[in-house]
Amino acid sequence: MPFPKDFLWGAASAAAQVEGAWNIDGKAPSIWDVAGDHIKNGETCHDACDHYHHWKEDVALMKEMGLKSYRFSISWPRVIPEKGKVNEKGLAFYRNLIQELKANGIEPLVTLYHWDMPVWVDQEGGWKSPKIIELYLEYVKVVVDAFSDDVQYWMTFNEPQVFIMMSYVMGSFAPFRHDVLTFKNHLRHMLLAHGKAVRLIRQIAKTPPKIGLAMAATTYIPDGDTPEALADAMQKSFESRVGEGSNGLYGDPICLGRASKMLRRKLSAEDLKIISEPIDFIGVNVYQPSNPMINKEAYEKENHPKNCMDWYVDGRCLYWTIRQYWERYHIPVMVTENGMAAHDTVSPDGKVHDPERIDFLHQFLPGMKRAVEEGIPVLGYQHWSVMDNFEWCEGYGPRFGLIYVDYQTQKRILKDSAYEYAQIIQTNGESL
Ligand code: NOJ
């Protein structure tokens, strides 16, 4: 079975990482705008790629690559700068962007929350307080009312594992807290907000919606192909507690209405009913397997390649993530992120040669093809990222884009990998 004709070959970004214009046209600050010294080299996300002013040119570049979809997020503080107030200028930016995408035949895939919580919501308690559920739903209602004529694909959250664990337990992501003892409450608030948002979107969307969320998938690649090895890998991927939190801790309540051991006392039967409101797809963000977290020595012995973030590059994890998510949840899968960072530079010929990223595409994407050939419903692939951008606390050092961005001049250049990806899209994956 080849890739379906309507397979969504795309690329992804997030508001705080690309938009800039942090205090323009009525936008209020997000928790990332005030991250201060937590960001490397004194950098900020205040200007980023200035996509807020370059959106038209950026959509033209997406068109040049032949993208069928673009996954981006809406900035909550741009739309709701203070409690109860809607910022029409903020909505106008997204309306223009969405209409430009549609006019170019590119499907908008909208993430409602990609970590940039308004500072005013944080001051109300952020994920620590149950109040955030209603505040989030009010925001979602404004966005869905405004754009559901044109938008069909919605993601309630991006990588909850990260914005709960890293932000409130490890304290390494904004708002940099260590609420270790109460983190299960935060997690419960997020899960309830997700379930209620799914129900709300389904009720009010003007076109039949397809709703999901993007998970930080940390997958264990089986140590062999015996049934025992496969079962052991599933257990490690969904029931152990490696990395940013296991897939099952978040995925089981949402997709199966079942709480993992850790949350059993936290979630009531009523909670689980709300949280497991049916979704249409499960998004997976795929970067590296969890094997090296469990068995680092084996990876080090092999001298396994790493990217400039020190992340292991192991192409097998795309196939295994898709397959394991499908086997556990039986919900169509969308690859909502997959990509790699490098220190790309402009060569004297004015081009950006990034052979590692081309290699990366050819290491990872055949696994997705295999999954499709095995009959697993995969809806699309969104490469991270459409353009170089603000990599959170790492600032602008690591470059993840298919499009190179010169942050001084805001000039864009399609990297070699962008042309390679365009080829793959043109053949609908047959060239893989
Ligand atoms: C996942 C996050 O969703 C995205 O914001 C981030 O830039 C990439 N991983 C790369 O770290």
Side-chain angles (χ1 to χ4, degrees):
M1 217 183 351
F3 283 100
K5 278 207 182 66
D6 55 357
F7 189 80
L8 293 170
W9 294 101
S13 76
Q17 296 180 270
V18 298
E19 284 179 6
W22 73 291
N23 60 357
I24 287 184
D25 288 344
K27 179 182 170 293
S30 82
I31 51 177
W32 281 97
D33 287 316
V34 298
D37 291 346
H38 292 281
I39 317 281
K40 264 195 187 157
N41 305 322
E43 293 175 332
T44 71
C45 60
H46 295 172
D47 301 321
C49 313
D50 199 21
H51 174 63
Y52 188 76
H53 296 109
H54 290 254
W55 55 274
K56 223 176 179 161
E57 175 191 349
D58 291 337
V59 174
L61 290 168
M62 293 175 208
K63 173 87 179 164
E64 202 177 327
M65 284 189 269
L67 299 193
K68 310 279 188 227
S69 54
Y70 173 44
R71 172 180 177 234
F72 61 96
S73 78
I74 303 232
S75 155
W76 184 352
R78 196 180 289 293
V79 172
I80 314 280
E82 56 187 86
K83 201 170 181 173
K85 183 174 160 197
V86 176
N87 178 22
E88 289 302 330
K89 284 191 177 163
L91 287 178
F93 165 68
Y94 296 109
R95 188 167 298 116
N96 289 334
L97 172 64
I98 290 167
Q99 285 174 359
E100 186 74 5
L101 289 167
K102 298 285 279 192
N104 283 283
I106 301 172
E107 187 70 36
L109 314 179
V110 172
T111 310
L112 289 157
Y113 184 90
H114 199 126
W115 308 352
D116 51 346
M117 175 192 291
V119 168
W120 70 263
V121 175
D122 185 41
Q123 285 164 351
E124 299 271 338
W127 287 108
K128 194 169 183 157
S129 160
K131 276 201 269 178
I132 194 168
I133 301 171
E134 282 313 308
L135 296 174
Y136 174 71
L137 292 174
E138 282 165 23
Y139 153 70
V140 170
K141 181 168 184 323
V142 169
V143 174
V144 176
D145 276 344
F147 304 130
S148 57
D149 277 326
D150 288 315
V151 172
Q152 220 192 337
Y153 289 87
W154 302 96
M155 279 147 282
T156 54
F157 289 107
N158 178 69
E159 296 197 349
Q161 291 90 337
V162 171
F163 74 77
I164 298 294
M165 290 301 281
M166 310 277 269
S167 301
Y168 289 93
V169 179
M170 330 259 274
S172 52
F173 274 45
F176 310 101
R177 305 269 155 72
H178 295 278
D179 300 330
V180 184
L181 296 177
T182 50
F183 110 92
K184 288 185 197 166
N185 293 344
H186 305 38
L187 181 44
R188 176 169 175 268
H189 300 151
M190 171 267 143
L191 291 169
L192 288 169
H194 161 82
K196 289 186 176 199
V198 175
R199 169 173 280 216
L200 175 67
I201 299 168
R202 192 103 50 214
Q203 276 167 356
I204 65 172
K206 294 173 211 153
T207 38
K210 293 190 192 299
I211 314 170
L213 79 165
M215 304 281 275
T218 43
T219 299
Y220 191 87
I221 299 170
D223 302 313
D225 55 10
T226 61
E228 294 73 29
L230 300 187
D232 173 67
M234 284 295 277
Q235 196 277 333
K236 289 197 168 90
S237 292
F238 289 90
E239 286 155 43
S240 69
R241 289 168 52 187
V242 290
E244 294 137 351
S246 75
N247 300 293
L249 181 62
Y250 296 77
D252 287 3
I254 292 173
C255 304
L256 302 175
R258 197 168 80 198
S260 59
K261 222 193 261 162
M262 197 173 170
L263 287 182
R264 221 155 268 165
R265 284 213 220 114
K266 208 22 98 192
L267 302 178
S268 68
E270 178 58 20
D271 289 347
L272 284 164
K273 200 160 157 252
I274 296 169
I275 295 165
S276 60
E277 187 73 26
I279 53 177
D280 305 289
F281 67 92
I282 183 86
V284 289
N285 292 357
V286 181
Y287 289 93
Q288 58 175 342
S290 60
N291 303 53
M293 292 176 208
I294 294 172
N295 189 355
K296 201 172 169 128
E297 263 172 38
Y299 268 67
E300 288 198 335
K301 232 193 252 157
E302 281 173 17
N303 218 352
H304 208 93
K306 287 183 178 178
N307 69 23
C308 79
M309 305 271 287
D310 236 15
W311 296 354
Y312 288 101
V313 177
D314 187 337
R316 297 174 301 167
C317 71
L318 188 54
Y319 169 74
W320 284 108
T321 304
I322 296 171
R323 175 162 160 189
Q324 291 182 1
Y325 264 83
W326 172 247
E327 277 183 12
R328 189 158 182 103
Y329 298 131
H330 284 281
I331 296 174
V333 180
M334 166 97 78
V335 180
T336 35
E337 284 183 30
N338 173 234
M340 59 156 284
H343 294 301
D344 302 311
T345 52
V346 184
S347 291
D349 63 3
K351 298 188 175 159
V352 179
H353 303 298
D354 58 339
E356 303 89 351
R357 193 166 288 99
I358 293 179
D359 267 11
F360 180 96
L361 289 170
H362 287 288
Q363 270 194 51
F364 280 70
L365 299 197
M368 179 170 69
K369 190 177 189 196
R370 175 178 166 199
V372 169
E373 283 167 355
E374 288 175 0
I376 300 178
V378 186
L379 305 182
Y381 171 87
Q382 315 310 316
H383 190 81
W384 186 272
S385 171
V386 69
M387 66 184 96
D388 295 337
N389 61 48
F390 173 76
E391 179 56 21
W392 309 110
C393 293
E394 296 297 314
Y396 295 94
R399 290 176 175 271
F400 274 92
L402 294 163
I403 301 171
Y404 179 90
V405 177
D406 177 331
Y407 297 110
Q408 302 306 316
T409 60
Q410 293 299 352
K411 188 174 169 221
R412 275 81 162 129
I413 301 172
L414 289 172
K415 299 182 190 174
D416 287 355
S417 58
Y419 293 103
E420 183 73 14
Y421 188 40
Q423 268 303 107
I424 296 172
I425 298 175
Q426 215 178 25
T427 66
N428 199 24
E430 281 311 301
S431 64
L432 288 168

